[in-house]
């Protein structure tokens, strides 16, 4: 902003000097030439008046623009952002004024040509340079500064948000599996995870060598009660419905033990695992997400979709409840929720949100819901573009219940919004709804001390992948953003309850 503003100011000054120079050159030329034609063109009540006015406008316009920019910037920094314009808005206001100055300058020049009888040059200058340069100012006056800037900002921010989300998806998809890495294998009979070591990596699969029960191997069994099941939105890992009611192993991310280096021989068993990532580029991820993006209409939503004990629409039935997007359609809400939180509370809040939306917009809202918008038969690819799906929605609707902050996939969904967005931009993108029993304030208060190390996924391998990406962007920064957002929501809620 500083560099661009300096450039504009310099350009404005040079433009003023250029105009004055041209006027003086014309005057000298006309004094040296005593021809009748020159004399007629330089009469004071014609061209002389136009050029004088043009020179005055150039000087006054430049001073006004410089004064506007300087005063607004001073007020902004002097009063701690409570008054004046922030650097970005001040820059665009200055640029708008410069365009208006440029347009009026050429309109005056066009009038000068008309006065001198040069009709073609006059009309072409006015219509070709003057009026087009005034269009941004006319649009700002007609729409208002806030509305115009908000629309423009949303356009660029949404586009950037999708690109940022694709970058995050590519980071997650690009987490590699290397020989010697620790890897966890699930034992369905014991309902436990066993840690092993990646022994070999092929083109489409890799081998994990796990020692048979001994002192070298640690097996973590499922606890009697656990809130760390898989993803907050779409996954408790593949087969969301089939796993949603079974207790899972709670694997703290900072306590995953290291597997000892082992050699081939008796006492070990090999497990062949498919390679999950495809190494897609951001453009490939964006293209896949656009082709497979779906939403569910409000009239197809029901309480049964949030009930983990319900048999509503298994795999194929669920997916048929959603539909592809229409041309230029944008999904209103991405529903982020924990499958362990109360289904009736979620449904009650969704009805309230839908009713408010209908009153405001005169239509029913659309939603992205994991259970119906991801093809459960192709779950891995659906999860691969989850950040892009979030960016494709107007808002991330976070239904914060008792277990929400302990679910790493719920946290991951919020992370995709906070990773690169500004504070105000991220806050406007997320709508937090506290579903805590008793006081609604307790739900937000629980996030004031948010710590991502207390959030877990059902699959410790997925947990490790997600946390690697979070650490790449900045874990502490993300935690502070969550706490700031919850503090803002808590403050607004207290004000509303007081009123």
């Amino acid at each position: 902003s500083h560099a661009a503003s300096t450039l504009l100011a310099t350009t404005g000054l040079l433009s003023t000097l250029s105009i004055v120079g041209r006027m003086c050159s014309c005057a000298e030329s006309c004094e040296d030439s005593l021809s009748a034609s020159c004399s007629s063109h330089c009469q004071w009540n014609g061209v002389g008046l136009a050029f004088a006015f043009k020179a005055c406008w150039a000087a006054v316009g430049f001073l006004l623009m410089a004064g506007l920019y300087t005063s607004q910037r001073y007020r902004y920094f002097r009063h701690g952002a409570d008054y004046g314009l922030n650097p970005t808005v001040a820059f665009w206001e200055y640029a708008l004024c410069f365009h208006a100055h440029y347009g009026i300058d050429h309109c005056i020049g066009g009038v000068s040509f008309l006065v001198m009888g040069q009709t073609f040059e006059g009309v072409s200058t006015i219509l070709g340079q003057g009026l087009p340069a005034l269009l941004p100012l006319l649009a700002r006056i007609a729409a208002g500064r806030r509305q115009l800037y908000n629309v423009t900002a949303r356009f660029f921010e949404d586009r950037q948000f999708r690109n940022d989300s694709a970058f995050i998806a590519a980071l997650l998809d690009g987490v590699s599996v290397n020989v010697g890495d620790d890897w966890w294998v699930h034992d369905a009979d014991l309902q436990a995870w066993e840690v092993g070591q990646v022994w070999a990596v092929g083109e489409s699969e890799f081998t994990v060598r796990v020692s048979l029960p001994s002192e070298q191997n640690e097996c973590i069994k499922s606890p009697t009660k656990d809130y760390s099941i898989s993803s907050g939105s779409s996954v408790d890992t593949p087969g969301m419905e089939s796993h949603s009611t079974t207790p899972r192993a709670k694997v703290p991310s900072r306590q995953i033990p290291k597997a000892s280096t082992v050699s081939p021989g008796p006492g070990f068993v090999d497990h062949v695992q498919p390679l999950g990532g495809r190494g897609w580029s951001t453009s490939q991820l964006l293209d896949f997400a656009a082709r497979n993006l779906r939403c569910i209409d409000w009239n197809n939503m029901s309480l049964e979709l949030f009930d983990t004990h319900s048999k509503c629409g298994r795999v194929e039935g669920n997916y048929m409840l959603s539909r592809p997007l229409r041309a230029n359609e944008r999904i209103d809400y991405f529903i982020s929720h924990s499958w362990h939180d109360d289904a009736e509370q979620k449904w009650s809040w969704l009805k309230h949100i839908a009713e408010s939306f209908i009153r405001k917009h005169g239509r029913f809202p659309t939603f992205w819901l994991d259970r119906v918008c991801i093809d459960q038969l192709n779950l891995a690819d659906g999860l691969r573009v989850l950040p892009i799906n979030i960016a494709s929605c107007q808002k991330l609707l976070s239904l914060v219940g008792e277990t929400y902050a302990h679910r790493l996939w719920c946290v991951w969904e919020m992370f995709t919004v906070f990773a690169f967005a500004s504070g105000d931009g991220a806050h406007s993108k997320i709508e937090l709804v506290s579903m805590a029993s008793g006081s609604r304030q307790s739900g937000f208060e629980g996030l004031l001390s948010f710590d991502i190390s207390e959030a877990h996924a059902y699959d410790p391998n997925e947990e490790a992948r997600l946390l690697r990406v979070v650490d790449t962007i900045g874990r502490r920064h993300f935690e502070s953003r969550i706490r700031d957002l919850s503090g803002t929501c808590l403050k607004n809620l207290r004000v509303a309850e007081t009123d």
Side-chain angles (χ1 to χ4, degrees), residues 366-384:
T366 54
F367 298 89
W368 191 99
L369 179 62
D370 44 33
R371 204 173 197 179
V372 300
C373 294
I374 290 183
D375 184 359
Q376 301 293 311
L377 300 178
N378 190 22
L379 188 61
D381 283 342
L383 299 179
R384 185 168 283 112

Side-chain angles (χ1 to χ4, degrees), residues 184-195 213-214 217-229 246-252 255 257 457-458 460:
W184 292 78
V185 179
H186 186 255
D187 189 320
D189 295 328
L190 296 176
Q191 284 296 304
W193 290 91
E194 297 175 324
V195 65
S214 66
N217 180 261
E218 180 172 341
C219 179
I220 296 185
K221 295 184 178 180
S222 303
T224 56
K225 184 177 182 180
D226 175 78
Y227 296 128
S228 63
I229 289 184
T246 306
R248 300 300 179 203
K250 186 173 184 178
V251 186
Q255 299 177 16
Y458 168 73

Side-chain angles (χ1 to χ4, degrees), residues 20 22 72 91 97 125 143 170 178 209 271 370 409 415 498:
V20 173
R22 289 201 309 269
Q72 292 298 326
F91 164 72
C97 291
T125 301
N178 303 305
R209 179 158 292 175
H271 297 267
D370 44 33
W409 278 98
F415 169 78
T498 302

Side-chain angles (χ1 to χ4, degrees), residues 444 485-498:
F444 297 136
L485 175 61
S486 59
T488 301
C489 293
L490 183 60
K491 179 181 178 181
N492 295 337
L493 179 60
R494 287 171 175 169
V495 170
E497 290 179 349
T498 302

Side-chain angles (χ1 to χ4, degrees), residues 41-109:
H41 286 171
C42 293
Q43 293 178 0
W44 174 254
N45 58 350
V47 139
L49 181 61
F51 272 104
F53 184 76
K54 188 173 181 179
C56 292
W57 167 255
V60 172
F62 172 75
L63 293 176
L64 286 176
M65 287 189 290
L68 168 69
Y69 180 79
T70 304
S71 63
Q72 292 298 326
R73 290 293 305 279
Y74 173 78
R75 293 182 67 198
Y76 182 82
F77 289 109
R78 176 68 176 81
H79 298 284
D82 292 331
Y83 301 97
L85 302 176
N86 66 53
T88 301
V89 175
F91 164 72
W92 287 112
E93 287 285 283
Y94 188 91
L96 203 62
C97 291
F98 181 80
H99 263 277
H101 177 273
Y102 178 86
I104 295 175
D105 178 65
H106 279 77
C107 285
I108 296 173

Side-chain angles (χ1 to χ4, degrees), residues 322-352:
S322 63
R323 62 169 176 80
L325 269 64
R326 303 183 185 97
N328 300 320
E329 183 181 15
R330 188 123 187 249
I331 304 172
D332 296 308
Y333 293 105
F334 181 104
I335 301 178
S336 175
H337 67 109
S338 166
W339 285 99
H340 271 294
D341 288 334
D342 187 82
E344 292 187 357
Q345 278 188 329
K346 286 186 274 191
W347 180 242
S348 175
W349 273 107
L350 281 173
K351 289 193 293 184
H352 173 73

